[in-house]
Amino acid sequence: MKMTTEEAFVKCLQRHGIEHAFGIIGSAMMPISDIFPDAGIKFWDCAHEGSAGMMADGFTRATGKMSMMIAQNGPGITNFVTAVKTAYWNHTPLLLVTPQAANKTIGQGGFQEVEQMKLFEDMVAYQEEVRDPSRVAEVLTRVISQAKRLSGPAQLNIPRDMWTQVIDIEIPEPIEFEASPGGLNSVAEAAKILSEAKNPVILNGAGVVLSQGGLAASQELAERLTAPVCVGYQHNDAFPGNHPLFAGPLGYNGSKAGMQLISEADVVLCLGTRLNPFSTLPGYGIDYWPTDAKIIQVDINPDRIGLTKKVTVGIVGDAAKVANGIIAQLSDDAGDAGREARKDKIAQTKSAWAQELTSMNEEQDDPGTNWNERARAAKPDWMSPRMAWRAIQSALPVEAIISSDIGNNCAIGNAYPSFEEGRKYLAPGLFGPCGYGLPAIVGAKIGQPDVPVVGFAGDGAFGIAVNELTAIGRGEWPAITQIVFRNYQWGAEKRNSTLWFDDNFVGTELDEQVSYAGIANACGLKGVVARTQEELTAALNQAIKDQMENGITTLIEAMINQELGDPFRRDAMKKPVSVAGISKDDMVPQTAA
């Protein structure tokens, strides 16, 4: 069948049901964007490609449906780098389309030329370049298939002179791979170990959320064993939060209940997780990883198994299918040993932590430092970060999707949100980019227009994405709610400064004359300032109503004091020692060329 290359490309997108593309328009992609409207593909033209990529990540994570990132070759594509690496560590299957400089000019260092395949080679799960116009549909079909199989972004690179060619081609059918249920022997061994366990604990990761039926399978397994279920850092939606066996998130500012329970485990089933080291770092001074426990790790990527923790059994497979396979092979008396005592211990541990969390108002200073004490004294009437999070929790709808940016005040909130189903908690993941909260929640709302959504960001991180306020107020964009924790500082770095650099606050202070609420109002959105818990709860209630009923996007500036939470990386920092000494008198003036 004769058609143009761009027609073949778009027909292939249609065959895979890809209806949404995120980016900024450019001449290198206009042959296909020109026919997007006729094809039923919506192009979301953002303010910056980096945010466009994070919108795509939010859309796909909230829906389970693939979306596309595309922009102008060269600088438009380089702006995708942070978002693509974020999606890679978030295990988000995305289609990255990178139009390239024309074949006849590649290598001449011409206008907007860069090595786009080399640029993304360690940031995507798969990449391929179109070598001939007649192969465009074949390559695109394979790239989409690999993104799904490997659960990550996959790149198609296409020189721009491949467009507008007339080719004779048939559109191939999608290539589908069945998820693996794991090896027979390894699943059987895992079932045997869990059947004999006296104190089993399950640790769920993103793979449980991404796997079809993953939450239900892990819940059935937990109930068979009466095993508490912890979740990895930033994966609070990987188990129903209202379930009596849910023990909460591990890692930074996580659940003390989860930490205590997993520390006493004799067997840990790590389900759908690569066990990133950051997710199991000590918290609240508790080094909780059970070094003597038997560890069963389940992940779709064999390269991640046993990489960070010593593993007794490794299983390469889909979280739901492996969990169901284990259930089928458990002994009849699996979980019976100490079941009632274990159930009581879980309930008591959770209750004690819930009471402690409710009473936590202040961030603690390390011995020898007093920044948090000074911060409270400087603004005695301002909310602390934890007061703000409690005010938010009292207004946040149970069905809401939330996004959380990286940063000190978002991380302080790690222990608070829980969810009754998956695909509800969007966080930047272990690549840790700032500027994720706003675009991710916009993408989620595009994918789930009938669900309330709320984004969270500290004021430093929000500044990286603030330009998206100029894009999302247009009529076709859905209404969202964004909360910015406003304390005029880069908090995580400032806590490092108090601990290791004698309060030498280099680059940590933000401009107090800037009003994000004012910027929102100037962009035709609604900006609100909340200074008390009561004001914050009321503002969020109204913002959700405006979002769902009136189509109004609201940005809430939550004014909080400058208290600082625990540092992210105690393991990576130490106090420097001066040896040679540094003096400004040693500066040698430059001579202009």
Side-chain angles (χ1 to χ4, degrees):
M1 181 178 181
K2 289 195 179 297
M3 62 185 75
T4 63
T5 47
E6 59 269 24
E7 288 173 332
F9 191 96
V10 169
K11 285 180 180 294
C12 195
L13 293 178
Q14 289 178 308
R15 186 69 59 91
H16 290 83
I18 296 177
E19 301 177 275
H20 296 274
F22 297 85
I24 293 180
I25 196 69
S27 61
M29 55 175 278
M30 290 182 77
I32 61 167
S33 63
D34 176 63
I35 55 179
F36 278 175
D38 289 340
I41 298 171
K42 174 63 179 175
F43 180 65
W44 299 94
D45 48 328
C46 308
H48 190 280
E49 292 90 352
S51 292
M54 292 177 187
M55 286 185 192
D57 185 75
F59 172 90
T60 295
R61 291 177 70 186
T63 63
K65 300 176 182 178
M66 280 188 67
S67 56
M68 179 170 72
M69 306 159 60
I70 188 168
Q72 176 68 358
N73 64 273
I77 296 304
T78 63
N79 281 345
F80 275 140
V81 166
T82 297
V84 171
K85 190 65 174 182
T86 300
Y88 178 82
W89 286 123
N90 282 340
H91 320 289
T92 307
L94 294 175
L95 172 61
L96 170 65
V97 176
T98 55
Q100 177 64 284
N103 269 316
K104 64 181 179 180
T105 65
I106 288 176
Q108 294 181 339
F111 185 60
Q112 296 184 321
E113 181 181 348
V114 69
E115 288 277 8
Q116 292 176 176
M117 290 289 279
K118 289 182 180 179
L119 183 69
F120 290 101
E121 65 183 0
D122 71 339
M123 299 187 188
V124 294
Y126 180 82
Q127 61 178 182
E128 191 169 344
E129 187 170 60
V130 176
R131 301 290 188 179
D132 183 271
S134 66
R135 296 186 62 193
V136 62
E138 166 217 333
V139 174
L140 179 54
T141 297
R142 185 162 47 252
V143 168
I144 293 172
S145 173
Q146 294 287 43
K148 291 179 178 180
R149 182 179 74 87
L150 299 169
S151 197
Q155 177 192 9
L156 179 145
N157 200 63
I158 180 165
R160 59 185 297 167
D161 53 352
M162 294 285 181
W163 302 128
T164 66
Q165 306 294 313
V166 177
I167 54 178
D168 194 354
I169 192 173
E170 295 295 327
I171 305 300
E173 290 296 319
I175 304 169
E176 301 290 345
F177 293 94
E178 183 179 3
S180 169
L184 292 175
N185 293 335
S186 57
V187 171
E189 179 63 16
K192 180 177 184 295
I193 291 172
L194 285 166
S195 294
E196 297 171 353
K198 301 293 190 297
N199 201 15
V201 174
I202 299 173
L203 172 56
N204 281 358
V208 175
V209 177
L210 297 172
S211 171
Q212 187 171 1
L215 269 74
S218 72
Q219 180 175 328
E220 182 180 351
L221 180 56
E223 290 170 352
R224 278 285 306 273
L225 299 171
T226 311
V229 181
C230 304
V231 294
Y233 181 63
Q234 297 186 341
H235 297 306
N236 298 39
D237 59 347
F239 197 76
N242 58 351
H243 196 284
L245 294 175
F246 180 58
L250 301 180
Y252 184 63
N253 278 315
S255 163
K256 281 189 182 180
M259 295 173 189
Q260 181 179 340
L261 290 166
I262 201 169
S263 71
E264 301 170 1
D266 61 347
V267 177
V268 180
L269 171 64
C270 305
L271 190 59
T273 172
R274 60 190 177 94
L275 285 176
N276 182 281
F278 193 82
S279 285
T280 54
L281 283 177
Y284 310 105
I286 308 169
D287 191 359
Y288 51 83
W289 189 255
T291 54
D292 295 330
K294 293 181 179 180
I295 306 298
I296 303 163
Q297 186 182 0
V298 181
D299 196 88
I300 62 168
N301 187 346
D303 294 339
R304 303 296 170 191
I305 293 178
L307 184 64
T308 62
K309 302 292 184 186
K310 183 179 178 181
V311 172
T312 309
V313 178
I315 305 175
V316 181
D318 172 80
K321 293 192 173 188
V322 171
N324 285 326
I326 290 173
I327 291 168
Q329 297 189 59
L330 288 174
S331 65
D332 292 341
D333 61 351
D336 286 351
R339 188 184 298 274
E340 290 306 314
R342 198 161 56 249
K343 185 184 298 184
D344 291 342
K345 179 67 177 291
I346 295 167
Q348 291 165 9
T349 306
K350 288 182 60 176
S351 177
W353 168 236
Q355 291 178 44
E356 182 179 352
L357 185 62
T358 301
S359 67
M360 291 171 69
N361 281 331
E362 302 174 349
E363 299 309 305
Q364 301 302 308
D365 284 308
D366 277 48
T369 69
N370 64 355
W371 173 261
N372 286 330
E373 180 183 343
R374 285 182 280 155
R376 288 189 290 273
K379 291 183 168 64
D381 298 327
W382 287 44
M383 288 183 287
S384 71
R386 292 187 183 275
M387 291 167 64
W389 272 107
R390 287 207 301 275
I392 289 163
Q393 287 301 110
S394 65
L396 196 64
V398 67
E399 73 276 19
I401 300 171
I402 73 169
S403 70
S404 175
D405 221 306
I406 201 72
N408 196 258
N409 289 310
C410 285
I412 286 172
N414 185 36
Y416 292 88
S418 63
F419 308 89
E420 295 181 6
E421 54 188 327
R423 299 194 180 277
K424 291 292 189 179
Y425 188 37
L426 311 178
L430 274 301
F431 190 54
C434 291
Y436 181 86
L438 174 63
I441 209 64
V442 172
K445 186 67 175 184
I446 289 170
Q448 301 283 12
D450 298 325
V451 179
V453 304
V454 183
F456 297 94
D459 47 9
F462 184 76
I464 291 176
V466 67
N467 56 348
E468 293 306 318
L469 297 180
T470 67
I472 64 174
R474 288 168 290 177
E476 68 271 25
W477 290 73
I480 59 101
T481 301
Q482 175 71 35
I483 293 178
V484 179
F485 297 109
R486 199 68 163 118
N487 59 6
Y488 306 103
Q489 62 187 0
W490 287 98
E493 291 66 33
K494 197 163 184 176
R495 183 63 187 257
N496 292 343
S497 299
T498 68
L499 288 175
W500 293 290
F501 301 99
D502 299 321
D503 285 3
N504 187 24
F505 299 133
V506 177
T508 63
E509 308 308 295
L510 300 177
D511 189 348
E512 295 187 17
Q513 299 179 84
V514 174
S515 166
Y516 286 139
I519 294 173
N521 286 322
C523 292
L525 310 172
K526 183 177 179 181
V528 177
V529 177
R531 292 183 170 83
T532 67
Q533 286 179 285
E534 293 75 19
E535 287 180 1
L536 181 52
T537 297
L540 182 53
N541 277 322
Q542 184 60 48
I544 295 293
K545 179 180 175 65
D546 281 343
Q547 177 192 148
M548 302 305 296
E549 299 179 14
N550 304 318
I552 295 173
T553 287
T554 305
L555 182 145
I556 302 171
E557 275 190 299
M559 313 304 289
I560 59 176
N561 66 24
Q562 291 192 321
E563 289 183 61
L564 300 167
D566 207 49
F568 277 98
R569 295 298 304 275
R570 287 185 184 274
D571 64 313
M573 303 288 291
K574 66 179 182 179
K575 192 173 182 64
V577 177
S578 177
V579 177
I582 297 295
S583 170
K584 65 182 67 174
D585 296 335
D586 295 334
M587 179 66 70
V588 178
Q590 292 190 47
T591 302

